[in-house]
Amino acid sequence: MIAPRKLIRCLDEHWTLIEWLVERSQHSSFSVQDVQHLIQKANPNFSSEQVFKETQRLLQLEILIPLAKSSQLELSSTILEFAQHLLHEEQLGLATDIESRVLELNRLSARMAQAASQRDSRELRRFIRAMDDRVREVLKQFSQNEQAILSLVERAKADESKLSLARRYAAVMDAFDDYIEPVLVLVDINGPFQQSISAIELQLTEQIQQIEITGVMQQDKESLLQLRTRLLEMNQVGRESLSRCADLLMPLRDELRRNTLLSRNASFLLGQMRKKGIDVTLDPLVPGLRSDAQKFSLGSANQITSYMAELCQYQHDAYEVPDAVDSAPAGLMQVPEVKEVLRKARSIQQLPDLSRWLADSYPQLPVDELLFLYQELSRADSLKLEHQQDASQLEVQGYRLTLHPFRSSPEGH
């Protein structure tokens, strides 16, 4: 068995090395030579014998673990998790991690209700402790995920000119798709998270009231009160953490959306140039600019002589004129402003279905921009909308969307 004091002393002496290895562990494993090189870098006065002894010490204390059937090493998972927590380098978890713990809470609450009905105080305390541990794990998961998203945003905002915008923000978009949106569905008012919390809270309240009425198992009342308080705290902390994470990611998501639209329009314009030529494409778009002062300005003698010499040597370059296109040139894609769409929506007395109204009003709009407008209008306070329980399907430009429609409330706008 490893002595705890030796382990803590070793971590204290080699904490700089641990920080480097935590960063290295996010990308790949490392060799014994890598560890020795980092020890020598952190301690320039160490001899080669001292470096070797410290490496063996890290292996003996199981801070470094050899990989199976390999000479490579990795940090112990316990040390890695502990160091990441201290360094605020947590890895973003998944919504399924939280969902699995909520399902475990449901199972434990059913066992706890059975123990309470049998007036088995020992089993009741055991399940209370188990549920309290699960609630603490969910709170810890929310905190770690929020810190991980903050680190992702900071890295995305860093000035890395060598990386493209899409590559810099790839982790941000993955975080939004893999964590924010699934957790939003999970903690929805009709989602499994909220339903489970409400059911467990009701069960705990009934058990507390039963103890107050009968006086049986009075010593367990305080534990039940603490569990209910922590459960409600988990619900509130989760919603607040999710709101902060969404506020961090939404500006970057909108920035990437705007740059994607700019690239799309630029590609469309270059395609028109290849088909019709530069003059035909740009003449309607570029305003005619001229300077009246230049029509009356005189050049120097050297300038006029040089210009005349160039005219004498001028040779016409033959070039192929592109074929004329009879169809009317398509304009660049224009995305309507949210304020304009909101004003147009307020002018309608009753919105039978917000998603269908947007699809009919803006048929040429890309699907991602249509969903963006749908999201912004559904959260607008000036539109009194009701979220319907039944899902509806919508066909937009070859995509099939399944949404719970928003409709105007009976009070109107």
Side-chain angles (χ1 to χ4, degrees):
M1 181 177 178
I2 299 174
R5 292 187 178 182
K6 290 184 179 180
L7 178 62
I8 294 174
R9 189 181 302 113
C10 183
L11 290 176
D12 179 51
E13 294 175 1
H14 295 287
W15 184 249
T16 303
L17 171 67
I18 298 299
E19 290 182 357
W20 291 339
L21 293 179
V22 167
E23 184 178 359
R24 188 75 172 267
S25 299
Q26 297 177 2
H27 307 288
S28 63
S29 57
F30 40 85
S31 64
V32 176
Q33 290 76 16
D34 295 332
V35 175
Q36 292 176 344
H37 174 72
L38 292 176
I39 293 176
Q40 187 71 57
K41 181 180 177 181
N43 305 275
N45 299 326
F46 275 16
S47 63
S48 58
E49 184 179 356
Q50 287 177 302
V51 171
F52 177 78
K53 288 182 178 179
E54 293 302 320
T55 305
Q56 294 301 313
R57 180 185 175 193
L58 293 170
L59 290 169
Q60 292 172 0
L61 293 176
E62 297 184 1
I63 296 176
L64 300 179
I65 305 295
L67 294 177
K69 298 181 180 180
S70 174
S71 60
Q72 295 293 100
L73 304 174
E74 66 176 357
L75 271 177
S76 167
S77 58
T78 304
I79 300 298
L80 179 61
E81 182 180 358
F82 174 69
Q84 285 179 337
H85 177 70
L86 295 180
L87 297 172
H88 299 291
E89 293 288 345
E90 289 89 351
Q91 299 296 315
L92 181 62
L94 299 176
T96 52
D97 298 335
I98 299 175
E99 187 176 5
S100 63
R101 289 182 172 89
V102 173
L103 293 176
E104 182 68 9
L105 280 174
N106 290 333
R107 187 187 69 84
L108 291 173
S109 65
R111 300 290 299 275
M112 185 179 65
Q114 182 180 1
S117 63
Q118 296 174 356
R119 296 185 178 182
D120 189 341
S121 181
R122 183 177 178 180
E123 285 294 293
L124 180 64
R125 292 195 205 100
R126 185 166 71 90
F127 289 119
I128 288 176
R129 287 194 298 271
M131 291 183 67
D132 188 72
D133 290 340
R134 299 299 177 273
V135 171
R136 291 174 185 270
E137 290 174 0
V138 174
L139 286 170
K140 180 181 177 181
Q141 190 73 38
F142 278 127
S143 176
Q144 289 181 350
N145 290 341
E146 182 177 354
Q147 189 62 43
I149 286 178
L150 180 60
S151 300
L152 288 176
V153 171
E154 290 176 350
R155 286 195 293 268
K157 289 181 177 179
D159 185 15
E160 299 179 6
S161 56
K162 296 182 180 179
L163 299 179
S164 64
L165 183 71
R167 187 172 178 183
R168 284 171 53 195
Y169 287 172
V172 174
M173 299 304 295
D174 291 342
F176 200 94
D177 295 338
D178 298 339
Y179 178 70
I180 297 297
E181 290 186 346
V183 176
L184 280 173
V185 176
L186 184 66
V187 303
D188 186 75
I189 190 170
N190 295 320
F193 183 87
Q194 185 63 40
Q195 291 180 353
S196 299
I197 297 302
S198 300
I200 296 174
E201 179 194 356
L202 179 60
Q203 175 186 334
L204 292 174
T205 302
E206 291 176 351
Q207 291 177 359
I208 293 172
Q209 292 176 350
Q210 187 69 20
I211 291 175
E212 293 176 346
I213 294 173
T214 61
V216 180
M217 295 188 296
Q218 187 71 30
Q219 67 277 10
D220 299 322
K221 177 182 175 182
E222 184 64 27
S223 300
L224 291 171
L225 286 172
Q226 289 293 330
L227 178 59
R228 186 179 65 174
T229 302
R230 201 179 302 279
L231 190 74
L232 296 176
E233 179 189 5
M234 179 188 72
N235 190 18
Q236 181 180 359
V237 168
R239 291 181 176 277
E240 292 176 353
S241 175
L242 186 63
S243 177
R244 288 192 294 268
C245 292
D247 291 341
L248 287 172
L249 293 177
M250 282 302 294
L252 300 181
R253 190 188 186 199
D254 292 343
E255 180 181 351
L256 183 60
R257 182 185 65 88
R258 289 192 300 269
N259 282 275
T260 303
L261 180 62
L262 180 61
S263 301
R264 191 181 300 163
N265 283 334
S267 299
F268 170 78
L269 194 60
L270 290 174
Q272 294 297 316
M273 289 181 184
R274 286 193 299 268
K275 293 179 181 178
K276 306 176 184 179
I278 296 177
D279 295 337
V280 177
T281 304
L282 294 184
D283 280 346
L285 301 176
V286 179
L289 301 176
R290 66 178 183 175
S291 173
D292 293 336
Q294 291 181 358
K295 295 196 292 187
F296 304 104
S297 62
L298 295 176
S300 64
N302 293 334
Q303 290 174 336
I304 296 175
T305 303
S306 175
Y307 179 68
M308 295 300 293
E310 290 179 359
L311 285 178
C312 293
Q313 300 174 0
Y314 173 77
Q315 292 182 358
H316 176 70
D317 294 334
Y319 65 94
E320 184 179 355
V321 179
D323 297 334
V325 180
D326 297 333
S327 60
L332 294 178
M333 190 181 306
Q334 299 293 332
V335 177
E337 295 290 338
V338 178
K339 295 181 180 179
E340 180 64 24
V341 179
L342 184 59
R343 184 192 61 78
K344 186 176 179 181
R346 283 201 301 263
S347 63
I348 301 176
Q349 294 298 326
Q350 289 290 329
L351 279 175
D353 190 330
L354 179 60
S355 58
R356 294 188 182 277
W357 176 78
L358 286 172
D360 296 338
S361 301
Y362 305 98
Q364 302 299 327
L365 203 61
V367 178
D368 54 345
E369 300 295 338
L370 186 70
L371 292 176
F372 173 74
L373 292 176
Y374 176 79
Q375 184 180 16
E376 293 296 322
L377 264 65
S378 64
R379 297 185 299 181
D381 296 333
S382 56
L383 292 178
K384 296 182 178 179
L385 302 175
E386 290 183 348
H387 199 188
Q388 303 300 310
Q389 298 294 332
D390 299 331
S392 64
Q393 291 188 348
L394 179 66
E395 293 281 348
V396 181
Q397 300 182 11
Y399 293 92
R400 178 175 295 177
L401 307 177
T402 302
L403 302 169
H404 291 271
F406 282 91
R407 298 174 182 172
S408 298
S409 60
E411 293 82 1
H413 296 283

